Amino acid sequence: MDEWISHYNKDSIVRAAFIMAETAHKGVLRSTGDPYFTHCLAVAKTVAGLGLDEHSIAAALLHDTVEDTEITIETIENKFGKGVAFLVDGLTKLKNLDYSKKSAKGENLRKFVLSFAKDLRVVIIKLADRLHNMQTLKSLSLERQQRMAWETTEIYAPIAYRLGMQQLSGELEDLAFPYLHPEENEWLTKAVKDEYETRHEYTKKLVPIVKKLLEQDDIHPIAVDARAKRRASLYKKLLRYEMDLDRVYDLVAVRVIVNTVTECYTALGSIHKSWAPLPNRFRDYIARPKQNGYKSLHTTVFCVDNIITEFQIRTQEMHEENEFGVAAHWGYQQTKSNPKKVKSWLGIGNRNELAWVEQLRNWQSQIPDSEEFEESVKAEFFKDRIYVLTPQNDIIDLPAQSTPVDFAYRIHTRIGNECVGAKVNGNIVPLSHELHSGDVVEIITQKGKKPSESWLSFVKTSLPRKQIRRALQTTLPWFKKETKKFTEFRIHCDDRPGYLKDIGSVFAEHRITITHLTSATDNRRKLSTVTIQCDPLQMDTVEKLMVKIKRVQGTRTVSYLLG
Ligand code: MN
């Protein structure tokens, strides 16, 4: 018997599930030549490592029994109860999805999303299952390798990312990469090897210097280490930078883990005090976390020997949440008896977070009993969120009862403003139609269209409400006269570093002071919307500015409102 199981009590369901699964798969070998049960065990270990509960670990051990052995779901329910049977059933259903027929892609993804909406633990166990399958992919046929690698990249890795599980997502992508891009992989291996080693050596030398620097400012970091960029993510970045490795400053970055949020900013100050930061490379993901909840400070500086180096600064809690995402919350649930951890955990700023992360956190503080917590995750948690798909199969989460208008504004303000109709699962619906999990939503737009005031009566989210009011102000002259005392420019542009600086210099050239500037990036992080306000301008000045803004690299569209 594997040593791992000895950590569980004799009467624990994990032990019983171990015995049942090992017996059921006895004599069956995987294509790798290993006993089939080694796969179940590997999945269970990953699930346990992520800090999930014993029901999940038992379900991971049993995840292939209903499909591949004599064991039925009733047997599992009788022996382990409804909780485990529910998870195994969900996993069995997921296993039968077939993504291979391209025409059925959307349909299957929808089923996936539906199961997603039932219990996140099913999804996490499935991801652990896929991880081990990808780790042992070598022994399969070329055709199956490619199909699995495609599914992993297109479906599982993005879901892991969406759940904030950066480590798992990155690992899945990296495992799939050589199968999907064999030539690129070979090129990358050769091209990066020397550079990577040089930078890694350099970064290792930096570690004691950085530690000393921080200690001078009375910061005692939990860890300072070098982190190498993952292969698949490096490749994606190189595609954006004309394959120029010299422009990838975070090939190897220095990661600093400190105790508190305040220390994050102090550490940033210590670093900037010693080494000059590159302009426009500083990112405050603590004040403005990424959509998937990622939190950290990033800055790039001219470091020792003037070598450009990226620093990533965060607390231990942020780090765990960045790496393990939603799973970190379950892991946390198990250690909640530690009051010190509770304090620091709740001390993290929570602006802009995924609603469900926030909700989970609230439950954790309100529901003392773990079983009750689990029930509320299943029943309450998903009640007020829905998951719908774009025609490109991107998953968009919205509050329940959201309408196509909420969806349209979530994709892009322009799409919201110019929205004239919507199709749900291929059928035309009214714009006030209530969306449901799994719907594929397509928005029909008409250029130059303005939103209707009547939308305000049915939209569910606050973003469209704001945008509709704003757009209405520009069409209703009496409204405009009262409120507008400035000229405003609206720019849609590529999300590229340095863009705002270039725009800023256009205004500076004309000696115009910007009174207000906002910038927001869409959830695919490709397009940004930049809004700039200044004192009322004459029409000829506006026209000159428009021409110059259009010429800035990355500008897609510009529009203006006169004061
Ligand atoms: Mn499996």
Side-chain angles (χ1 to χ4, degrees):
M1 212 186 235
D2 193 87
E3 208 222 319
W4 170 81
I5 196 66
S6 62
H7 297 298
Y8 291 91
N9 282 336
K10 286 245 165 356
D11 54 354
S12 116
I13 56 164
V14 175
R15 218 171 242 254
F18 182 99
I19 293 163
M20 185 189 262
E22 190 181 36
T23 315
H25 290 293
K26 193 146 254 160
V28 183
L29 297 181
R30 302 188 84 215
S31 52
T32 54
D34 297 314
Y36 195 91
F37 182 68
T38 56
H39 167 67
C40 312
L41 191 56
V43 177
K45 282 179 180 172
T46 303
V47 169
L50 287 168
L52 264 65
D53 60 336
E54 295 207 343
H55 279 177
S56 305
I57 302 166
L61 286 163
L62 294 163
H63 80 273
D64 280 330
T65 51
V66 173
E67 180 73 12
D68 298 342
T69 76
E70 300 293 303
I71 291 172
T72 63
I73 200 75
E74 288 75 26
T75 316
I76 291 175
E77 188 173 332
N78 288 336
K79 187 146 171 84
F80 300 99
K82 275 203 164 65
V84 175
F86 169 82
L87 296 174
V88 174
D89 191 45
L91 287 158
T92 309
K93 284 178 181 146
L94 273 185
K95 196 181 175 182
N96 291 325
L97 297 190
D98 177 12
Y99 305 103
S100 61
K101 299 182 208 89
K102 284 272 152 124
S103 61
K105 185 173 145 191
E107 176 70 24
N108 283 327
L109 268 169
R110 261 176 275 162
K111 284 186 202 151
F112 189 93
V113 175
L114 287 173
S115 71
F116 182 65
K118 275 188 202 136
D119 195 316
L120 281 176
R121 291 173 302 169
V122 173
V123 182
I124 296 173
I125 302 166
K126 180 67 198 176
L127 293 170
D129 176 40
R130 179 50 61 118
L131 178 70
H132 188 248
N133 285 333
M134 291 304 293
Q135 284 163 341
T136 52
L137 198 57
K138 264 207 172 95
S139 55
L140 294 185
S141 70
L142 192 67
E143 193 242 317
R144 282 200 65 197
Q145 285 176 347
Q146 301 220 318
R147 185 166 65 87
M148 296 267 283
W150 178 84
E151 281 174 16
T152 300
T153 309
E154 294 295 318
I155 301 164
Y156 294 106
I159 283 169
Y161 183 81
R162 191 55 74 92
L163 295 177
M165 305 172 80
Q166 189 167 265
Q167 184 176 307
L168 191 53
S169 167
E171 230 169 301
L172 287 169
E173 271 191 333
D174 272 6
L175 287 164
F177 186 74
Y179 295 99
L180 290 180
H181 307 281
E183 281 164 30
E184 291 85 343
N185 183 53
E186 206 175 303
W187 171 81
L188 206 58
T189 308
K190 277 195 211 127
V192 173
K193 197 172 166 281
D194 290 347
E195 183 65 24
Y196 172 76
E197 273 168 19
T198 313
R199 291 213 208 174
H200 200 77
E201 280 307 307
Y202 171 76
T203 315
K204 274 206 304 217
K205 268 197 301 196
L206 277 183
V207 170
I209 302 173
V210 173
K211 276 189 181 157
K212 206 165 161 201
L213 193 71
L214 295 176
E215 265 151 32
Q216 281 167 7
D217 286 329
D218 209 25
I219 297 170
H220 306 281
I222 296 169
V224 177
D225 49 34
R227 147 276 182 220
K229 197 165 186 66
R230 286 185 176 276
R231 175 161 299 213
S233 130
L234 172 62
Y235 183 70
K236 272 191 253 173
K237 195 161 199 174
L238 281 170
L239 285 177
R240 282 187 279 134
Y241 289 0
E242 287 105 34
M243 303 322 250
D244 184 357
L245 205 53
D246 289 339
R247 289 168 65 195
V248 180
Y249 302 138
D250 62 343
L251 181 63
V252 180
V254 180
R255 193 169 271 168
V256 180
I257 315 265
V258 293
N259 290 291
T260 63
V261 176
T262 309
E263 279 188 1
C264 291
Y265 291 99
T266 314
L268 177 79
S270 317
I271 290 163
H272 283 184
K273 227 166 28 183
S274 299
W275 300 304
L278 265 73
N280 298 311
R281 294 276 311 186
F282 169 60
R283 300 276 180 276
D284 187 344
Y285 296 121
I286 296 177
R288 292 179 147 273
K290 290 190 186 181
Q291 284 246 336
N292 68 354
Y294 178 87
K295 285 189 197 130
S296 188
L297 298 177
H298 288 192
T299 188
T300 308
V301 300
F302 295 99
C303 204
V304 173
D305 300 331
N306 248 346
I307 291 174
I308 296 175
T309 307
E310 183 176 297
F311 283 80
Q312 303 177 347
I313 309 161
R314 56 188 66 169
T315 64
Q316 180 68 30
E317 284 76 14
M318 289 177 203
H319 183 61
E320 278 166 29
E321 213 183 324
N322 291 344
E323 295 293 303
F324 304 114
V326 70
H329 293 270
W330 273 288
Y332 165 71
Q333 180 68 11
Q334 323 259 324
T335 60
K336 69 177 174 190
S337 50
N338 179 348
K340 200 174 150 217
K341 192 155 186 189
V342 174
K343 215 171 148 236
S344 56
W345 192 236
L346 296 172
I348 300 168
N350 53 21
R351 271 176 289 167
N352 252 358
E353 239 176 0
L354 281 178
W356 52 261
V357 172
E358 186 59 12
Q359 256 173 329
L360 268 179
R361 183 174 296 162
N362 288 339
W363 276 324
Q364 281 164 353
S365 53
Q366 284 161 17
I367 305 171
D369 178 58
S370 160
E371 206 170 299
E372 200 185 323
F373 168 74
E374 208 174 276
E375 274 313 302
S376 49
V377 170
K378 265 192 279 193
E380 292 288 316
F381 177 58
F382 294 101
K383 208 174 66 188
D384 40 15
R385 295 307 283 179
I386 57 166
Y387 299 85
V388 297
L389 296 164
T390 69
Q392 290 76 39
N393 288 323
D394 288 325
I395 300 171
I396 306 286
D397 61 325
L398 291 165
Q401 288 147 22
S402 283
T403 64
V405 175
D406 295 286
F407 174 88
Y409 277 100
R410 174 61 84 75
I411 302 292
H412 202 281
T413 306
R414 186 184 54 77
I415 293 181
N417 283 339
E418 297 183 347
C419 155
V420 290
K423 280 186 187 173
V424 168
N425 304 326
N427 304 315
I428 299 260
V429 296
L431 286 175
S432 58
H433 176 85
E434 185 183 323
L435 299 175
H436 297 282
S437 268
D439 283 345
V440 174
V441 187
E442 194 181 333
I443 297 297
I444 305 158
T445 56
Q446 195 180 312
K447 226 182 152 83
K449 260 294 203 193
K450 293 276 192 266
S452 151
E453 202 174 354
S454 66
W455 295 357
L456 291 170
S457 66
F458 59 73
V459 291
K460 197 69 193 161
T461 45
S462 58
L463 178 72
R465 208 160 279 142
K466 248 195 278 172
Q467 300 292 1
I468 293 165
R469 290 215 180 93
R470 189 193 285 262
L472 287 174
Q473 282 175 10
T474 69
T475 50
L476 304 173
W478 64 87
F479 212 147
K480 186 171 92 180
K481 242 177 214 158
E482 267 180 31
T483 54
K484 289 267 174 252
K485 286 199 178 67
F486 51 80
T487 299
E488 185 180 275
F489 293 84
R490 270 304 191 77
I491 307 166
H492 294 310
C493 58
D494 298 329
D495 182 32
R496 78 160 169 90
Y499 184 82
L500 288 181
K501 186 177 147 263
D502 293 351
I503 288 292
S505 35
V506 169
F507 282 78
E509 256 175 60
H510 288 263
R511 298 183 186 283
I512 297 164
T513 310
I514 294 173
T515 52
H516 191 72
L517 186 148
T518 58
S519 152
T521 303
D522 73 342
N523 49 9
R524 275 179 266 179
R525 302 198 60 78
K526 279 185 188 145
L527 263 186
S528 292
T529 308
V530 180
T531 312
I532 296 171
Q533 289 175 1
C534 52
D535 289 335
L537 298 175
Q538 296 297 322
M539 194 56 211
D540 57 322
T541 316
V542 171
E543 279 170 358
K544 274 183 211 151
L545 283 171
M546 289 286 285
V547 172
K548 290 206 171 149
I549 293 169
K550 277 181 195 160
R551 280 194 202 136
V552 172
Q553 188 208 329
T555 302
R556 300 264 187 107
T557 62
V558 203
S559 57
Y560 63 87
L561 308 172
L562 280 180

